Amino acid sequence: MSNVDALWGKLSNATDCKSLLKRNLTPDLFRKLKGLKTRFGGTLADCIRSGCMNLDSGCGIYASDPDAYTVFAPVLDKVIKEYHKVPAVNHPEPSFFPDKRKHPNDNINFPNLDPSGTHIV
């Protein structure tokens, strides 16, 4: 199941789900975030798939990549604050950028692990 609307339908119809995702991803947030993508191609579907497919998950949402913490902050920050019982999230700006031409301040020299694009999705 990869379609974000199908994932949302499964989550929103799950009356017995008690995950942080279920409590914090409101219909308004879903509509706001469902069309967004990270610089690495991560989507809301990538972040919520596990929690929608495993409705007994305690958390239910996971950042798809470092940029997801920024792009999907409206829901991830709520989940992080509730999970850690903190009033605010003060995480640093992600500094992992694989393309030095676009992001010259990359501080991690991380090579392409699958240059042919056949093994890593």
Side-chain angles (χ1 to χ4, degrees):
M1 185 179 289
S2 62
N3 180 303
V4 71
D5 291 307
L7 291 169
W8 170 250
K10 183 172 179 162
L11 179 69
S12 59
N13 291 326
T15 56
D16 58 341
C17 179
K18 297 180 180 16
S19 71
L20 294 173
L21 170 64
K22 172 83 172 175
R23 285 201 296 268
N24 289 287
L25 184 60
T26 64
D28 286 340
L29 276 180
F30 173 76
R31 283 190 292 277
K32 176 181 176 182
L33 301 174
K34 76 177 194 169
L36 302 181
K37 276 192 175 186
T38 70
R39 289 179 261 217
F40 304 98
T43 64
L44 182 63
D46 296 328
C47 294
I48 68 171
R49 183 173 295 107
S50 177
C52 294
M53 299 306 294
N54 301 286
L55 295 167
D56 59 345
S57 170
C59 184
I61 186 169
Y62 308 94
S64 57
D65 57 59
D67 196 34
Y69 287 103
T70 303
V71 174
F72 302 112
V75 66
L76 281 171
D77 284 359
K78 290 171 69 172
V79 168
I80 292 167
K81 288 190 290 188
E82 186 173 343
Y83 182 86
H84 291 287
K85 298 173 179 46
V86 295
V89 176
N90 297 310
H91 48 78
E93 181 70 25
S95 61
F96 169 74
F97 301 110
D99 188 341
K100 284 194 177 281
R101 292 168 296 171
K102 293 180 183 173
H103 307 283
N105 295 325
D106 178 6
N107 65 1
I108 299 175
N109 188 11
F110 199 68
N112 186 344
L113 298 176
D114 184 22
S116 66
T118 57
H119 302 287
I120 299 175
V121 181

